[in-house]
Amino acid sequence: MKPSAYLINTARADLIDRDALINALQKKQIRGASLDVFWQEPLSKDDPLLKLNNVSLTPHLQSHYANRTAHHDFVIRVLAEFLKKHKSRSIVNFKAAEQAKIAATMKLVKETK
């Protein structure tokens, strides 16, 4: 993958070589990754993925339509709050993900409306 690539996996964790992904993210060989499926659930508190600032981790939404809709509504409300206040109660690893970097990324999202 190119250094500008962003890997997204919402299918099955075993499609991706976990150690290779973590290595690529740590060495910045790819820009980042977004995962909603994991090799072990829940992730352990010392999982290397939780220490990286170039990965986003969300719960897998393989569920009934009503549950997915409610979850999507929640995510939209959290993002809207973050765009207005540049703060979020939903970001777990603030130490790894510096707030200013997140805000800069979110400005790109906001401008594309």
Side-chain angles (χ1 to χ4, degrees):
M1 295 176 72
K2 295 179 180 181
S4 60
Y6 205 87
L7 181 129
I8 299 171
N9 186 10
T10 61
R12 299 285 177 258
D14 290 334
L15 294 173
I16 307 295
D17 180 322
R18 182 181 189 279
D19 294 334
L21 175 61
I22 291 170
N23 185 50
L25 290 166
Q26 288 172 334
K27 293 182 177 181
K28 309 289 190 213
Q29 292 172 330
I30 63 173
R31 174 164 257 162
S34 182
L35 310 171
D36 79 347
V37 289
F38 309 101
W39 298 266
Q40 170 195 343
E41 292 190 30
L43 291 175
S44 66
K45 291 181 180 182
D46 61 340
D47 193 294
L49 290 169
L50 297 173
K51 296 175 176 66
L52 296 169
N53 67 356
N54 55 347
V55 64
S56 66
L57 309 170
T58 60
H60 187 58
L61 294 177
Q62 184 180 9
S63 62
H64 186 272
Y65 174 78
N67 292 340
R68 284 194 306 265
T69 302
H71 182 78
H72 293 161
D73 289 347
F74 170 76
V75 170
I76 290 168
R77 283 194 310 274
V78 168
L79 285 172
E81 177 186 38
F82 184 81
L83 288 170
K84 289 178 186 173
K85 299 179 181 180
H86 299 287
K87 294 181 184 178
S88 174
R89 292 169 280 147
S90 300
I91 297 175
V92 177
N93 57 345
F94 250 10
K95 288 184 181 178
E98 297 169 15
Q99 197 169 0
K101 288 181 183 176
I102 296 170
T105 302
M106 298 313 288
K107 285 180 185 172
L108 293 175
V109 172
K110 189 175 182 180
E111 290 173 5
T112 61
K113 282 186 175 183

